[in-house]
Amino acid sequence: MNYPRLRPKSETELRQEGLLARLKQRGGLLPGVCLTQDAPLDEQVAIRELTLDAEGGVVSVSEFALSPKTAPGRTSTSDALKQELERLLAAAGDEGIACGENGRRASREELEEWLLLIGLPVFSYRRD
């Protein structure tokens, strides 16, 4: 029986897989693109920390955003966030840049990692 050949993974897909493997090794907190359904439109999308259970299911979402909050993009939920992260990365020096909530600083490495999260499934939730 002949099976169709799977297309080779793109460089971005390979980098995303590597990032997810590194993040999962760090423990139960995983940054991800989140859409907060009941937030104001211009604050719905941000990178937040997701807490995972042993099976990899999301059990809670951080109250505070790690990245700036944006509105959903025109063609996908994370387009506007991608543009904002690219802008921040271009402006960031070696010491990183202040972004997100609580005056948190993000390193260049974090910003680059967050950009790789764009294109992965978006976690959509409603605050209780």
Side-chain angles (χ1 to χ4, degrees):
M1 180 178 267
N2 290 337
Y3 292 101
R5 295 184 103 180
L6 296 176
R7 69 167 177 79
K9 292 183 179 176
S10 69
E11 182 180 334
T12 299
E13 290 170 323
L14 292 171
R15 291 178 64 208
Q16 286 174 330
E17 283 182 1
L19 170 64
L20 288 176
R22 287 193 311 274
L23 292 173
K24 286 178 182 175
Q25 288 176 347
R26 292 183 194 168
L29 293 178
L30 184 72
V33 179
C34 294
L35 184 141
T36 311
Q37 297 169 343
D38 54 343
L41 183 63
D42 62 341
E43 296 182 2
Q44 286 187 336
V45 182
I47 303 288
R48 293 179 183 271
E49 284 185 334
L50 308 172
T51 304
L52 307 179
D53 62 15
E55 290 80 41
V58 176
V59 293
S60 69
V61 178
S62 171
E63 177 183 352
F64 301 107
L66 300 175
S67 73
K69 296 176 183 176
T70 65
R74 284 187 220 124
T75 58
S76 85
T77 300
S78 49
D79 283 350
L81 181 59
K82 179 180 181 185
Q83 292 170 3
E84 180 63 14
L85 291 176
E86 287 172 339
R87 185 189 69 72
L88 288 173
L89 191 56
D94 291 336
E95 69 284 348
I97 196 162
C99 70
E101 297 174 340
N102 296 336
R104 184 184 184 284
R105 292 195 73 76
S107 67
R108 287 189 66 80
E109 180 183 24
E110 280 181 294
L111 291 170
E112 289 167 354
E113 286 181 346
W114 294 346
L115 269 173
L116 281 176
L117 296 172
I118 305 292
L120 293 174
V122 171
F123 182 76
S124 181
Y125 74 104
R126 182 175 299 279
R127 292 177 285 208
D128 294 328

